[in-house]
Amino acid sequence: MAKTRDSEKEALVRKDTRVPSAEADIAAFLEKAKTMEAGAETGGRLIFALDATMSRQPTWDQACQIQAEMFQEADKVGGLRIKLVYFRGLGECRASRWFESGEALAGAMSRIACQGGRTQIRKVLAAALAAAAKEKIAALVYVGDCMEEDVDLLCDRAGQLGLLGVPMFLFQEGRDPVAEQAFREMARLTKGAYCPFDAGSARQLAELLKAVAVFASGGRPALQALEKQGGKGARLLLEQMHSGKR
């Protein structure tokens, strides 16, 4: 009998020592899951491409102010990450890291000065293709006023972006006919949209860029919701995306 009681006592001791261990394992697992969730990336990825040649300085300054509104609008839906791509001078084209806040992006943009040179849209598209090969890109925005390159080469690269599911939203300052034709075709090939805006019209450009930010963050449903709230930029984009007219 004594041996039996001793065996039962040992079994209880072993059981008791296992309980804290199991609780510790669960606690460690939950903590790790919490850490992973906190570090998980959220929000859509948007490539924000700008012509930074000398004629673009006024619009560049406007874009520095507007991009903060893009983040704010996207945060209402699901967040946003932006990669800045720009070209200027004699063959310079740069792509930034992914920014998650308007302040960080504004700081980077404020250190960039426009320089004279020809357009390098082909390099913008190459950077977008390289990014899209690594991760899902929700959209590519391009803001410029002219096009001085082989349009067939640009359309070929735009078509590749279209196959990867990356719509291009091209916003043209002014109405240069050569640029307009090229921009419309690239928008068509990627199932994106083309919109001209008036020189010096910061509010008009802001509405368009905020609409794309919402699209990148929440897709077409979020863009439709913004339109119902009276978003003029959302309405302009959806009109083109619905009709197929670019």
Side-chain angles (χ1 to χ4, degrees), residues 17 39 62 65 72 83 116 142 162 183 190 211 215 218 221 234:
T17 56
Q62 290 175 4
Q65 302 295 323
Q72 292 168 5
K83 180 187 286 292
Y142 177 75
F183 292 175
T190 60
F215 174 82

Side-chain angles (χ1 to χ4, degrees), residues 192-214:
Y194 159 84
C195 289
F197 66 94
D198 301 327
S201 179
R203 191 72 258 152
Q204 185 182 10
L205 181 60
E207 291 290 339
L208 292 168
L209 291 177
K210 286 196 297 183
V212 177
V214 167

Side-chain angles (χ1 to χ4, degrees), residues 7-34:
S7 298
E8 290 175 350
K9 189 184 293 185
E10 289 174 5
L12 287 172
V13 170
R14 286 197 299 271
K15 184 177 180 181
D16 288 342
T17 56
R18 283 197 299 268
V19 172
S21 177
E23 290 177 348
D25 288 344
I26 292 172
F29 171 79
L30 292 175
E31 187 62 30
K32 183 177 181 181
K34 190 188 300 182

Side-chain angles (χ1 to χ4, degrees), residues 49-57 60 84-95 108-124 142 148-149:
L50 294 163
D51 176 341
T53 54
M54 194 62 74
S55 64
R56 307 295 307 138
Q57 188 67 60
W60 182 275
L84 175 67
V85 180
Y86 68 93
F87 59 82
R88 63 180 181 175
L90 300 177
E92 181 183 0
C93 181
R94 298 184 183 274
M109 293 182 69
S110 68
R111 295 189 290 272
I112 300 170
C114 293
Q115 297 178 2
R118 299 175 66 83
T119 64
Q120 301 175 62
I121 303 170
R122 65 194 183 283
K123 294 182 181 179
V124 168
Y142 177 75
E148 302 163 305
E149 303 167 66

Side-chain angles (χ1 to χ4, degrees), residues 64-107:
C64 287
Q65 302 295 323
I66 292 170
Q67 55 79 27
E69 298 180 34
M70 294 170 66
F71 279 102
Q72 292 168 5
E73 201 68 40
D75 282 343
K76 299 175 185 177
V77 181
L80 185 67
R81 288 168 171 261
I82 292 182
K83 180 187 286 292
L84 175 67
V85 180
Y86 68 93
F87 59 82
R88 63 180 181 175
L90 300 177
E92 181 183 0
C93 181
R94 298 184 183 274
S96 75
R97 62 179 176 86
W98 290 103
F99 291 99
E100 300 180 51
S101 72
E103 293 80 5
L105 178 55

Side-chain angles (χ1 to χ4, degrees), residues 33-53:
K34 190 188 300 182
T35 303
M36 291 173 65
E37 183 178 355
E41 294 184 0
T42 58
R45 292 180 182 272
L46 172 68
I47 293 179
F48 187 27
L50 294 163
D51 176 341
T53 54

Side-chain angles (χ1 to χ4, degrees), residues 172 174-185 194 246:
Q172 180 186 3
R175 294 302 290 260
D176 177 82
V178 175
E180 179 176 347
Q181 183 180 21
F183 292 175
R184 284 186 180 278
E185 183 62 11
Y194 159 84
R246 307 287 184 253

